[in-house]
Amino acid sequence: MKLTVLGSGTCVPSAKRSASSYLLSFTNNRLLIDCGPGTLRQIALSGVDYRKIDAVFITHLHPDHVSDLPGLVHALSATPGFKRKKPLYLFGPEKLRWFYEDVILNLLREPDEFKIVLKTCPKKVHLFDLDIVSAKTLHSPDSVAYRFESKDKVVVFTGDADLSEELIELASGADLLVADCSFPDGLKKQGHMTPSECGKLANKANVSTLLLSHLYPTDVPSSEFIRQCKQHFSGKVIVAEDLMVLKIQGILITIS
Ligand SMILES: [Zn+2]
Ligand SMILES: [Zn+2]
């Protein structure tokens, strides 16, 4: 299992960080988690073939998490010389149905070569040998976090989220937790976590490795985010960078 950070940023434009998106790759399948503005460009820069993406999981409908989705559907439908055959699965909150049917299908024709399989509010899904569970988060009315469980590895994405018991339960025992760490300690905004809160979440959920992401532009250095986080969590802490790749194999998570 391999995680590529496509965008470790937020709604605030940044030359360093693209808006939210992650790619989870397996031997045969590729899943996108969120698809913020700039995702298609980041996919190209990462060297991943966008045509091989099987499914997109949207955490919530804020534009920094979803606004490149019309572009992805367009690219899969209109790349010259490419005819997609396999379906594209879209998962997300109920509002994703509105976004697909009333926005995307108003911009584009329904793809005629391949099927879009849209599932909203999935509590539990079994897809490509993965068990995927979602949980409500404290952020927007319908925001969710996702847990991806293969036969031997667990990766959890908080999406945008404040600390909650539901999130601790969802992240329980994860090998890798990708957490919303929007602002440093002292600059807390409701609906997002600070490094200390991410550390508390990782500690209570007993995760192995914590990846701090969804980072707003700041002068506070990454080392300070890690220090604040480590006051509450003794496991491995990494500050996400765009195009960072984490290989999740054995008990090791290696970065390249
Ligand atoms: Zn966001
Ligand atoms: Zn948000």
Side-chain angles (χ1 to χ4, degrees):
M1 198 191 291
K2 195 169 85 173
L3 174 80
T4 304
V5 178
L6 296 170
S8 58
T10 64
C11 63
V12 176
S14 159
K16 193 178 163 198
R17 300 186 186 281
S18 194
S20 197
S21 188
Y22 308 89
L23 185 88
L24 206 48
S25 308
F26 304 85
T27 315
N28 298 316
N29 300 103
R30 282 151 202 83
L31 315 181
L32 205 59
I33 294 86
D34 281 337
C35 193
T39 297
L40 292 188
R41 168 87 169 145
Q42 294 296 95
I43 290 172
L45 289 173
S46 74
V48 168
D49 187 345
Y50 67 96
R51 295 171 294 190
K52 293 187 173 166
I53 290 170
D54 296 283
V56 184
F57 289 80
I58 298 293
T59 59
H60 64 304
L61 276 285
H62 282 161
D64 59 319
H65 296 256
V66 77
S67 61
D68 249 12
L69 188 57
L72 178 64
V73 175
H74 195 188
L76 294 175
S77 320
T79 298
F82 170 61
K83 286 198 194 312
R84 184 183 175 99
K85 292 288 173 217
K86 62 182 176 180
L88 177 69
Y89 293 89
L90 302 180
F91 298 92
E94 184 52 37
K95 207 184 271 182
L96 181 63
R97 182 170 301 284
W98 163 81
F99 189 69
Y100 180 68
E101 291 175 357
D102 288 8
V103 179
I104 296 179
L105 290 187
N106 256 311
L107 298 170
L108 303 168
R109 276 191 299 122
E110 180 134 37
D112 39 34
E113 299 287 343
F114 67 96
K115 271 202 164 52
I116 301 263
V117 181
L118 175 66
K119 289 203 165 105
T120 54
C121 309
K123 278 248 174 291
K124 281 187 179 179
V125 178
H126 186 78
L127 186 73
F128 311 134
D129 283 337
L130 291 169
D131 285 314
I132 301 146
V133 182
S134 72
K136 176 82 197 78
T137 66
L138 297 176
H139 177 68
S140 64
D142 57 359
S143 54
V144 293
Y146 291 108
R147 176 186 178 97
F148 296 86
E149 199 163 339
S150 70
K151 62 180 188 313
D152 59 349
K153 289 284 164 257
V154 176
V155 180
V156 174
F157 297 83
T158 68
D160 286 7
D162 216 324
L163 188 56
S164 69
E165 285 303 319
E166 289 89 336
L167 206 50
I168 294 168
E169 194 181 316
L170 188 81
S172 176
D175 296 280
L176 175 63
L177 171 64
V178 182
D180 169 354
C181 187
S182 286
F183 306 103
D185 289 5
L187 293 173
K188 160 88 179 163
K189 287 209 173 40
Q190 230 186 353
H192 296 286
M193 289 183 286
T194 60
S196 279
E197 288 173 323
C198 290
K200 285 177 190 167
L201 166 63
N203 179 52
K204 286 188 175 167
N206 196 26
V207 310
S208 299
T209 298
L210 172 60
L211 182 70
L212 303 178
S213 194
H214 199 267
L215 299 148
Y216 277 78
T218 177
D219 292 333
V220 176
S222 294
S223 56
E224 179 58 13
F225 274 70
I226 291 175
R227 191 195 66 76
Q228 293 173 359
C229 185
K230 283 213 161 257
Q231 291 176 323
H232 305 277
F233 175 59
S234 57
K236 190 169 180 177
V237 182
I238 302 165
V239 175
E241 300 290 343
D242 284 12
L243 306 181
M244 178 185 267
V245 177
L246 283 82
K247 286 184 185 132
I248 309 151
Q249 49 197 195
I251 54 162
L252 280 176
I253 294 187
T254 54
I255 309 170
S256 55

